[in-house]
Amino acid sequence: MLKNLSPLLSGALLSALDAMTDGETLTLVGSGYPEDRITSPVVHLGDDVTTEAAAEAILSVFPLDQDDASPIVFLDLADEPYDVPDVAFAVNGIASDAELRRVSMTRLELEPFLELACDSAVTVRVGSDAPPCAFLLRRGVL
């Protein structure tokens, strides 16, 4: 085990993150995501891992794109168009803390989100029982 590294960052996940190039995206999905639409390699972090815990671990080593006005895209499958779920606020706060800057997020509907997710370098699957939500994280330069 490496010092000060989240135990959620398995060898498979670290390898996938290391292989990503600048501008590529990672898809973080929890419950309710249409699994038949996942086209990238999947790293499953476990059924007891929350989206927030996964985001915190990933964003501790994964730089977000600073040239993109909104390096995080999120999909809300709860059908509440004017209500952003707590998990989205949490991930936004985690990203802003990790980047030491305010990070903007864009919300997309299902089909446009799935089109972007098809180009992801890796999909990270968690077993969160939070409201169904998914995120695209665009990698930047270290």
Side-chain angles (χ1 to χ4, degrees):
M1 178 174 282
L2 299 173
K3 186 176 178 181
N4 297 325
L5 195 62
S6 169
L8 295 179
L9 295 172
S10 65
L13 180 53
L14 286 171
S15 179
L17 295 176
D18 186 50
M20 290 178 67
T21 60
D22 300 338
E24 285 190 309
T25 57
L26 171 148
T27 303
L28 175 59
V29 301
S31 60
Y33 190 82
E35 295 202 25
D36 61 325
R37 299 291 295 268
I38 296 174
T39 58
S40 60
V42 177
V43 176
H44 190 265
L45 294 185
D47 291 336
D48 59 338
V49 177
T50 65
T51 303
E52 295 92 330
E56 188 167 12
I58 291 165
L59 291 169
S60 72
V61 297
F62 184 86
L64 291 173
D65 191 340
Q66 293 189 20
D67 295 330
D68 188 336
S70 186
I72 299 176
V73 175
F74 96 94
L75 168 68
D76 176 17
L77 295 174
D79 284 336
E80 300 282 337
Y82 300 106
D83 189 22
V84 176
D86 291 343
V87 66
F89 280 116
V91 169
N92 187 247
I94 291 165
S96 295
D97 288 349
E99 291 288 307
L100 302 176
R101 65 183 172 96
R102 183 182 169 125
V103 175
S104 296
M105 288 193 322
T106 300
R107 180 184 199 152
L108 284 182
E109 300 213 1
L110 182 61
E111 285 307 315
F113 185 93
L114 292 174
E115 285 179 32
L116 289 176
C118 285
D119 294 328
S120 285
V122 64
T123 298
V124 178
R125 180 89 168 84
V126 297
S128 174
D129 60 354
C133 218
F135 298 88
L136 294 170
L137 309 174
R138 182 171 308 283
R139 182 190 163 121
V141 180
L142 277 175

